[in-house]
Amino acid sequence: MTTKCKYIDDYLTAIETGEVPASIELHKAAAYIRRKLDNPDVLVDTARAEKAVELIERYFRIKLFPWELFIIGLVHCYYISTDTVVFSEFLIEMGRGNGKNGFISGLVWYLTTHYHGVKEYNVDIIANSDDQAKTSFEDVYQMLDDTWEKSKRFFYRTKEVITNLKTRSYIKYNTSNAKTKDGKRSACLVFDEIHEYENNDTIKVFRSGFGKRKHSRIFYITTNGYVREGVLDERLRIAQDVLNGVIENSRMCPLIWKLDNEEEAANKQMWVKANPS
């Protein structure tokens, strides 16, 4: 089965053939994604994915890695009959230094544009600390600053909010002080470094106003950390149940880049399993 989206097909094949060393979880994810997309009711909007890549690379002046192209392809998978997304929740775990914040910056910026095609597609980025929450927001702000002669026709910006004038979509950053965050109408939630979250209180508050927009999505992006039995461990347990078929018909997409054992840490050829960039 091929999806006819080169970003998805190329990366899945690279995992399955061993061209790219990958964790046990990523091999399971490849099989899971194949099963999900091998459905006549699924459409992969390749044209829109390619437009997203072209825009992100042009405006952010970067060259996207294969793992980033892969996720952009997966973001553009839809059920035809219900016009809903195949994957509404992405768990992205990897080692430090991969540029996951930079990647999510470009992706959420694109999601607010008319090329994505959903009006009022509001993005809230959430982290435990102010500095971490600002990371991706400031990436977008800096890109707009660098391209302002062109971007000012499409965006309004302050140090607190970035708004697309055409779609009326915003990008905001938030800390985990959840008391004042109720009632948001987010279409996209980015929970950054969830290994720091001790409980689900913040997530519950932000999710309370979530999902009222077409094609709503949640992204959990994280490295591993030192807080055990917190949010990350809970999400990883759910991910394992999804990948092992215990939970059926899930719309979660677990993508876990990691070493499979301590011995692999001594083998530089295996480091790509945790650091795909």
Side-chain angles (χ1 to χ4, degrees), residues 34 68 72 155 170 200 222 265:
R34 292 272 191 209
E68 296 171 313
I72 289 172
F155 286 89
Y170 70 64
N200 277 299
T222 192

Side-chain angles (χ1 to χ4, degrees), residues 65-254:
F65 287 101
W67 69 268
E68 296 171 313
L69 299 173
F70 176 54
I71 293 173
I72 289 172
L74 295 175
V75 163
H76 290 88
C77 297
Y78 305 94
Y79 288 112
I80 300 165
S81 60
T82 56
D83 191 19
T84 56
V85 292
V86 174
F87 302 111
S88 60
E89 188 173 311
F90 289 82
L91 173 63
I92 301 167
E93 185 199 56
M94 53 179 57
R96 285 174 176 78
N98 273 284
K100 62 187 180 302
N101 279 101
F103 167 66
I104 212 72
S105 305
L107 180 57
V108 298
W109 166 81
Y110 156 75
L111 290 173
T112 67
T113 69
H114 69 280
Y115 294 102
H116 175 229
V118 183
K119 288 188 179 295
E120 297 180 16
Y121 200 84
N122 298 327
V123 177
D124 279 289
I125 303 169
I126 307 102
N128 260 6
S129 70
D130 206 49
D131 285 346
Q132 186 64 41
K134 285 181 179 178
T135 301
S136 289
F137 178 90
E138 289 181 341
D139 283 345
V140 180
Y141 189 95
Q142 185 62 54
M143 180 278 289
L144 292 175
D145 198 48
D146 292 342
T147 62
W148 194 238
E149 277 307 303
K150 186 183 294 184
S151 293
K152 65 185 178 184
R153 291 181 293 158
F154 308 106
F155 286 89
Y156 170 78
R157 61 186 175 136
T158 71
K159 291 290 188 178
E160 287 77 39
V161 61
I162 293 165
T163 307
N164 184 291
L165 300 173
K166 194 164 188 175
T167 65
R168 301 188 302 279
S169 307
Y170 70 64
I171 302 173
K172 290 181 181 177
Y173 65 89
N174 309 265
T175 59
S176 55
N177 177 14
K179 294 177 183 175
T180 60
K181 311 307 183 197
D182 229 341
K184 284 184 176 289
R185 290 185 172 270
S186 310
C188 179
L189 296 173
V190 178
F191 293 103
D192 196 358
E193 295 297 4
I194 61 168
H195 69 85
E196 297 177 352
Y197 294 39
E198 294 183 0
N199 57 57
N200 277 299
D201 292 353
T202 299
I203 293 172
K204 286 177 182 176
V205 169
F206 277 91
R207 291 191 68 150
S208 67
F210 170 75
K212 296 180 174 67
R213 289 284 177 265
K214 178 179 173 182
H215 299 164
S216 293
R217 301 174 180 91
I218 296 176
F219 296 89
Y220 300 97
I221 61 172
T222 192
T223 53
N224 212 310
Y226 302 103
V227 176
R228 296 277 65 93
E229 297 307 315
V231 169
L232 177 58
D233 283 357
E234 179 188 62
R235 290 284 140 194
L236 290 173
R237 280 195 292 271
I238 294 169
Q240 290 291 351
D241 284 347
V242 169
L243 294 175
N244 292 327
V246 177
I247 298 174
E248 297 180 352
N249 303 317
S250 173
R251 297 206 184 194
M252 184 186 202
C253 185

Side-chain angles (χ1 to χ4, degrees), residues 253-270:
C253 185
L255 300 172
I256 300 168
W257 283 271
K258 60 183 275 289
L259 300 177
D260 288 318
N261 54 64
E262 288 188 23
E263 288 71 28
E264 290 181 342
N267 182 354
K268 289 185 178 181
Q269 300 302 313
M270 293 295 105

